[in-house]
Amino acid sequence: MTDTPTQLFIGGAWVDAADGATMPVDDPATGEVLCRVADAGAKDAKLAEDAAVRTQEEWARTAPRVRSEILRRAYEIILERTDELAHLMTAEMGKPLAEARGEVAYAAEFFRWFSEEAVRIEGGHGVLPDGRNRMLLSRRPVGPCLLITPWNFPLAMGTRKIGPAIAAGCTMILKPAPQTPLSSLALAAILKEAGLPDGVLNVVTTSRAGEVCEPLLRGGRIRKLSFTGSTAVGRLLLAQSAEAVVRTSMELGGNAPFIVFEDADLDEAVDGAMVAKMRNMGEACTAANRFFVHRSVSEEFGRRLAERMGALVVGPGTRDGVDVGPLIDRAGRTKVEALVADAVERGARVLVGGRTPEGPGCFYPPTVLTDVSAESRLMDTEIFGPVAAILTFGDEDEVVRRANDTPWGLVGYVFTEGLDRALRVSERLEVGMVGLNTGLVSNPAAPFGGVKQSGLGREGGRVGIDEFLEYQYLAVPVR
Ligand code: NAP
């Protein structure tokens, strides 16, 4: 922790907030303050914007190979420092060290992937149908970007945006979540070490998100917003972006259905459920939120899932053998408690868990609820905690209708051994991604994103860089 930067990163320099403000970073496992970091205000945001705007033209002209190799070097440094970064992430966010190491590898992979994409940006050339004009198509960076990230994947949500922005030739301001600023500051230091020119990436940590971001979005100099967070905040930022017609990518909330048909391999379904529910303590946009299990296998599925969930070890993420760390803060835990209480009041049975432990930290036990009523609040709220809610269904049409009966559409999970059914149900689900007999979809090489109110655009995959590029079309007469 001693070497981790705690200041703002603007124009390649580490600086205090203009008004000297700082904010605490808490350890969710103990509730104690880990350290304080600079707390940026509007003045600092303006300085970061000046740096990004000033650097844009030169950065756009930098050779793709140079941009590519900076990302490649940063990828290698991140991997070399896996342990250090994992400890930092566990300290500020709470996830167990093994998961934090997994996130470091996942985060680094976005840099490797986009280092490869940086040198494959292609335009086009053709003769128009009338034969009188040629069409030259070139791709160019969209311009200075504002990147806003959540606390649940503090490193990977940053690299998933910074990677394609660097590859495309955009400059940027990153505003991480106030709960987890340290991973982003450490990442900025790594990119500087990897040779990123001053001013390309600027990081403003702040507890005053509105004061910092709104003038940037309305001011007309920022040309792109890439946001990951809740649908409510995404909606607000879309409205703010409308004024200066800022291009947006929105990775928003989810309400994933996890469907287990009567012909599923139940061992595989329970394995998948453990990943889809328990990755990141359930604090993931991709977390299975509603388990729809065919009534002929629901009893057995619930029993096996409860056994596995009940065997998980809860404790501080730094302790050996711990599977489940604390939730991010008291507010996050209070929300989970209220959702479980509401479900139980409406008739749900608790198969395991459900009781908040005494003592410090924001711990909540892995919990399985069955006979959950469709009217329960957790049916249309992201639980964001280690709670699996099981409902039963009778036939395919019914489960597809119920799974789609939500404003969200990020991801769905389908477990069945029937090929026709697997494809048919996947195609009928209104989601951007489907895990077919698997509980994990996230991969830097695949386009990640949702439909409906889960967002706009895709991150990762071949298309991830498109979000940071514009087309320019040149009409040239054929002479
Ligand atoms: P959040 O409350 O929406 O916050 C996300 C980010 O937006 C934070 O940095 C937050 O900073 C900032 N923010 C809030 N209000 C703002 C404003 N008025 N102007 C500018 N920035 C503002 O979400 P969260 O609780 O951190 O993260 C959980 C949510 O993220 C869940 O809904 C989850 O599903 C979603 N998520 C989606 C994906 C995906 O790829 N689809 C991935 C991960 C997470 P402050 O906290 O200071 O307000």
Side-chain angles (χ1 to χ4, degrees):
M1 290 283 307
T2 42
D3 297 340
T4 306
T6 55
Q7 291 171 292
L8 310 176
F9 185 62
I10 298 180
W14 296 100
V15 294
D16 290 329
D19 61 5
T22 62
M23 61 180 187
V25 184
D26 296 338
D27 177 348
T30 61
E32 282 164 18
V33 176
L34 286 167
C35 64
R36 299 188 71 86
V37 300
D39 187 359
K43 260 193 187 164
D44 307 294
K46 169 83 170 46
L47 291 174
E49 183 186 39
D50 288 346
V53 170
R54 204 169 47 236
T55 316
Q56 178 59 58
E57 201 179 334
E58 196 182 338
W59 180 236
R61 274 202 310 267
T62 305
R65 180 62 75 197
V66 172
R67 302 200 299 262
S68 165
E69 286 180 355
I70 292 168
L71 283 173
R72 177 73 201 199
R73 269 198 298 281
Y75 157 76
E76 279 158 11
I77 301 172
I78 292 173
L79 288 190
E80 276 161 26
R81 308 221 177 120
T82 295
D83 239 45
E84 199 179 306
L85 289 165
H87 273 92
L88 194 63
M89 199 190 299
T90 295
E92 64 176 355
M93 190 275 169
K95 66 182 74 184
L97 272 177
E99 281 206 53
R101 286 192 190 98
E103 183 178 338
V104 173
Y106 175 52
E109 197 56 39
F110 283 107
F111 279 1
R112 177 157 70 164
W113 176 262
F114 285 108
S115 78
E116 290 156 354
E117 291 301 292
V119 290
R120 315 246 184 280
I121 300 169
E122 287 172 354
H125 171 254
V127 175
L128 292 173
D130 63 12
R132 292 199 295 263
N133 279 295
R134 293 186 193 88
M135 170 179 69
L136 296 181
L137 278 185
S138 65
R139 318 284 319 265
R140 36 207 276 169
V142 61
C145 305
L146 174 60
L147 315 176
I148 303 179
T149 52
W151 48 262
N152 58 347
F153 292 97
L155 203 61
M157 296 303 97
T159 58
R160 196 163 83 171
K161 297 182 190 307
I162 294 169
I166 289 180
C170 295
T171 60
M172 67 210 92
I173 303 167
L174 170 67
K175 192 216 80 65
Q179 295 93 332
T180 55
L182 301 175
S183 298
S184 299
L185 294 171
L187 187 60
I190 287 173
L191 280 160
K192 188 173 169 69
E193 192 181 330
L196 191 70
D198 293 349
V200 174
L201 168 69
N202 304 276
V203 183
V204 289
T205 52
T206 182
S207 67
R208 300 173 265 178
E211 185 186 323
V212 162
C213 297
E214 190 169 351
L216 297 177
L217 290 175
R218 293 191 192 275
R221 295 202 294 167
I222 293 297
R223 293 313 317 144
K224 159 93 193 174
L225 166 66
S226 177
F227 171 74
T228 297
S230 61
T231 298
V233 173
R235 205 176 279 128
L236 178 83
L237 297 179
L238 276 170
Q240 292 177 5
S241 301
E243 192 168 310
V245 195
V246 173
R247 235 177 106 180
T248 57
S249 307
M250 294 276 154
E251 293 291 348
L252 308 178
N255 184 10
F258 186 105
I259 304 172
V260 183
F261 283 98
E262 66 278 22
D263 63 350
D265 176 330
L266 273 200
D267 287 333
E268 207 168 73
V270 173
D271 284 349
M274 291 302 291
V275 177
K277 182 73 252 180
M278 292 308 294
R279 177 168 176 244
N280 223 38
M281 289 88 72
E283 294 173 317
C285 54
T286 50
N289 213 54
R290 299 168 294 156
F291 286 82
F292 294 104
V293 185
H294 191 269
R295 66 167 80 94
S296 64
V297 292
S298 69
E299 194 75 28
E300 181 60 12
F301 176 83
R303 191 188 64 71
R304 292 198 209 177
L305 184 61
E307 200 175 291
R308 293 276 296 275
M309 294 276 273
L312 295 175
V313 179
V314 182
T318 44
R319 192 180 291 164
D320 274 352
V322 162
D323 303 301
V324 185
L327 296 182
I328 187 68
D329 52 25
R330 289 274 159 162
R333 183 169 77 174
T334 304
K335 174 185 162 193
V336 173
E337 288 168 338
L339 289 173
V340 171
D342 170 79
V344 169
E345 232 163 72
R346 294 175 200 262
R349 275 188 301 133
V350 181
L351 293 185
V352 71
R355 239 167 242 240
T356 304
E358 302 276 318
C362 309
F363 297 98
Y364 194 83
T367 297
V368 179
L369 305 175
T370 191
D371 299 336
V372 174
S373 149
E375 271 68 54
S376 304
R377 279 177 43 216
L378 48 69
M379 286 298 105
D380 59 10
T381 311
E382 274 188 295
I383 302 170
F384 247 57
V387 178
I390 301 177
L391 300 100
T392 57
F393 71 90
D395 69 52
E396 193 178 302
D397 283 341
E398 177 204 338
V399 77
V400 168
R401 183 179 45 74
R402 289 169 68 191
N404 286 337
D405 185 18
T406 166
W408 287 286
L410 187 62
V411 59
Y413 303 92
V414 180
F415 283 77
T416 173
E417 293 291 283
L419 179 63
D420 289 343
R421 173 186 268 165
L423 295 178
R424 190 171 59 235
V425 171
S426 302
E427 285 161 7
R428 291 178 72 191
L429 287 180
E430 296 168 352
V431 292
M433 302 173 288
V434 176
L436 202 48
N437 295 322
T438 175
L440 183 69
V441 294
S442 307
N443 189 296
F448 187 103
V451 301
K452 294 158 80 177
Q453 295 186 28
S454 285
L456 301 167
R458 293 293 180 269
E459 288 190 323
R462 293 299 309 275
V463 297
I465 197 167
D466 293 345
E467 304 281 337
F468 293 86
L469 291 168
E470 299 276 20
Y471 277 103
Q472 189 181 50
Y473 149 54
L474 249 72
V476 186
V478 176
R479 294 213 177 99

